[in-house]
Amino acid sequence: MRTWPTDRVAFGGDYNPEQWPREVWDDDIALMTQAGVSFVTLGVFAWAHLEPEKGRHDFEWLDEVLERLARAEIAVDLATGTATPPPWLSRAHPEILPVDRDGHTLWPGSRQAWCPSDQLFRSHALALTTALAERYHDHPALAMWHVGNEFACHNIPCYCDTCAVGFRTWLRARHTHLDALNEAWGTSFWSQRYTHWDEILPPRRTTTFANPTQVLDYRRFQSDTLLDHYLAERDILHEVSPGVPVTTNFMTMHHFRELDYHRWAPHQDVVSTDHYVVASLEHPRHELAFSGDLTRGLAGGRPWVLMEHSTSAVNWQPVNPAKRPGQTIRDSLTHVAHGADTVGYFQWRASTAGSEKFHSALVPHAGADSERFREVARLGGVLGRLGELVGSRVEADVALIWDFEAQWAVGGPGMPSGGGLDYPLAAHTIHRLLLDRGVACDVLAPGAPLTGYAVVVVPTTYLLSDDEAALIAQAADAGADVLVTFFSGISTRDDHVRLGGYPGALRELLGVRVEEFFPLLAGESVALAPTGGGHTWSEWLTVGADTEVLAHYGDGPLAGRPAVTRRAVGAGHATYVSTLPDDEALGLLLDRVLSSAGVVGQAGASERVEVVRRVSAEKSWLFVLNHSAEPVTLNVPIGWDLVEQRQVSGELTLPPDGCAVIRERVAT
Ligand code: GLA
Ligand code: ZN
């Protein structure tokens, strides 16, 4: 297999030459070389150019582009071009179009207008994939195949009749018998009992709340159906183009919630993702770091590909702030710090027309004579010097459980706090406080092995199977400090509430019993004694004889009752937090857990400065990233800064948004 990431930190992005006349192509290659671009992703939305009419291919332009890139030694991540069908296909077969919850067809004229279950669409996509693979499998520029693009970004859930049929097939495979489905969905409630498979529909718009397990199964089905599509294209590529890695770009971003990447990741030869900073988030830079740690978890700890991010503004937020000078490089290096060995952007050259004409690019509208392009070229230089750390890893003492299914279920119908409890909140808050303490964290699936982690965080892990709960308990028993937050271990994987007091799956481990939830209103808080306060959630809690109460509720209906507890379990501990404490209170609790587990963060890390280490067998590199608009001074070890190419030791001052990547003299 050709290897990707390449032997350097690959640098480049989406290249869409079909939008430009050929004169521009020469300039493109010259500028790519000048900026140190080493790879491009080609042809993502080029179907209409590659197959202008049914079965007639036009590969001449792509031959020419590939030829030029090969001559310039720029590696190509070649797309299968199937992300968006051309107008001739949807005109001939409008049945391929997706349908929303209300039965409205989503018409062409934008992108990704295809139903995930439609076999005719799939056969056309597979034919194009085959034609491309046959033509280019041994092309010298080809380094990786890129299937589709950001699966599910726009076209699911689809509620069409084809999906209804597909759903029934998927349900038969999952539940085998109708009785089992009735049991799993709890259809004795509200007269929903099914007597024939054909009665089952997608969860289209209903009079009021839909059946939550039906909704959950539908999300699983839609994710699996797109995965099937991915696998169909991938299998062709593996067969016709053996030895070339295949990937598709995930979207490990806060606002994207459609796919269960834990099911997708094992089928990627290389895990890749896209990430865009969302200006309206309260802690955008922490969300970026979380995305990196989640992607590293999906990649099994191995380096991963950052396929897309932006040099500056995007064009799809209500207001799209530009990045400050320095931020382009700093944001890229933040992804590298968390394990990326490829730094890719959308897109090479800013378009003059189309929906994304105001999205930033490596070459902005102003052209190469611009501060942004000069920063891009500086970044190319820095990444060129980072080749020595390719393949190195991030070592973490803390594991944090992340579950895409729990995210769906917590966002499902009829929950205790549907508007107030967002699944990522507890995970992101704890991850952020760890990051500010310089503590590296692996983000893992429930059910992932936990051996070797000193601390295991279980945040709002609402669905847990018996086996998954047992793994968490075993980790505590073996010596880990397990920290569980509210609304974890409540339901089975079919979303049936476990009885006898919450959290049924973890009650014994934690030595607590929750009789009732007391969710808090937006803006409402509850005092904690001895100090601090909580928000979002609270619970009526009783504790067992060997459970220590670390904090009580200080006011409101739960005044005097336990809020935060801790229990010795085997060689470890289990801590329970029944509310979301404010940063200060939660920080103190984390400090206690970390010190009991012997975890020490990187010196110098703070709310403004991120400090992350990557290690290989012989060397280590310390990333020091200033995420503020002010200069910062901190103590660093003796070493060589690959960013500014200078010796450093002791006090180091970084400019606003500045960064250092220090090759440490002694590997740690
Ligand atoms: C996604 C897509 C790109 C582009 C960018 C814009 O990542 O894959 O084609 O639309 O968003 O931010
Ligand atoms: Zn459909």
Side-chain angles (χ1 to χ4, degrees), residues 505-544:
L506 301 168
R507 198 170 56 218
E508 212 174 296
L509 166 69
L510 297 166
V512 303
R513 184 165 174 271
V514 176
E515 293 186 22
E516 222 178 311
F517 304 131
F518 282 67
L520 300 173
L521 297 172
E524 196 184 357
S525 61
V526 59
L528 294 175
T531 55
H535 58 94
T536 306
W537 194 267
S538 59
E539 292 175 342
W540 181 288
L541 197 69
T542 58
V543 300

Side-chain angles (χ1 to χ4, degrees), residues 14 44-45 111 149-150 153 249 251 253 274 276 308 314-316 346 356 359:
D14 284 20
V44 172
F45 295 107
R111 64 174 173 184
N149 190 61
E150 290 191 338
C153 187
N249 44 344
M251 299 171 72
M253 281 174 258
D274 298 347
Y276 291 93
E308 295 179 24
V314 299
N315 72 318
W316 41 261
F346 177 83
E356 295 185 317
H359 194 291

Side-chain angles (χ1 to χ4, degrees), residues 310-315 346-347 350 356-364:
S310 64
T311 59
S312 188
V314 299
N315 72 318
F346 177 83
Q347 62 175 330
E356 295 185 317
K357 59 185 181 295
F358 290 118
H359 194 291
S360 61
L362 290 153
V363 183

Side-chain angles (χ1 to χ4, degrees), residues 289 293 296 334 336-339 394 435 438 440 602 605 610-614 621-625:
D293 289 349
R296 191 177 69 248
T334 307
V336 176
H338 290 269
V394 177
L435 198 65
Q602 305 295 344
E610 192 166 340
V611 184
V612 186
R613 176 174 281 123
R614 282 185 65 162
W621 299 264
L622 198 67
F623 286 71
V624 186
L625 307 151

Side-chain angles (χ1 to χ4, degrees), residues 474-557:
Q474 279 159 24
D477 211 47
D481 240 277
V482 172
L483 175 69
V484 178
T485 82
F486 58 90
F487 218 41
S488 296
I490 305 299
S491 274
T492 65
R493 287 267 156 206
D494 283 330
D495 198 0
H496 286 218
V497 175
R498 294 168 179 275
L499 299 178
Y502 316 119
L506 301 168
R507 198 170 56 218
E508 212 174 296
L509 166 69
L510 297 166
V512 303
R513 184 165 174 271
V514 176
E515 293 186 22
E516 222 178 311
F517 304 131
F518 282 67
L520 300 173
L521 297 172
E524 196 184 357
S525 61
V526 59
L528 294 175
T531 55
H535 58 94
T536 306
W537 194 267
S538 59
E539 292 175 342
W540 181 288
L541 197 69
T542 58
V543 300
D546 61 351
T547 304
E548 187 190 348
V549 178
L550 299 184
H552 288 90
Y553 287 105
D555 58 12

Side-chain angles (χ1 to χ4, degrees), residues 254 282-283 286-287 290 400 402 421-437 441 457 459-460 483 485-486 535-536 579-587 590:
H254 175 265
E282 207 181 330
H283 303 284
H286 293 87
E287 193 271 337
F290 186 89
L400 181 146
W402 178 265
L421 177 59
D422 192 27
Y423 169 78
L425 184 63
H428 282 185
T429 304
I430 294 172
H431 184 270
R432 169 169 59 82
L433 295 176
L434 290 170
L435 198 65
D436 290 350
R437 284 162 172 69
C441 179
V457 182
T460 318
L483 175 69
T485 82
F486 58 90
H535 58 94
T536 306
T579 179
L580 192 54
D582 57 52
D583 282 2
E584 207 185 319
L586 188 53
L590 276 176

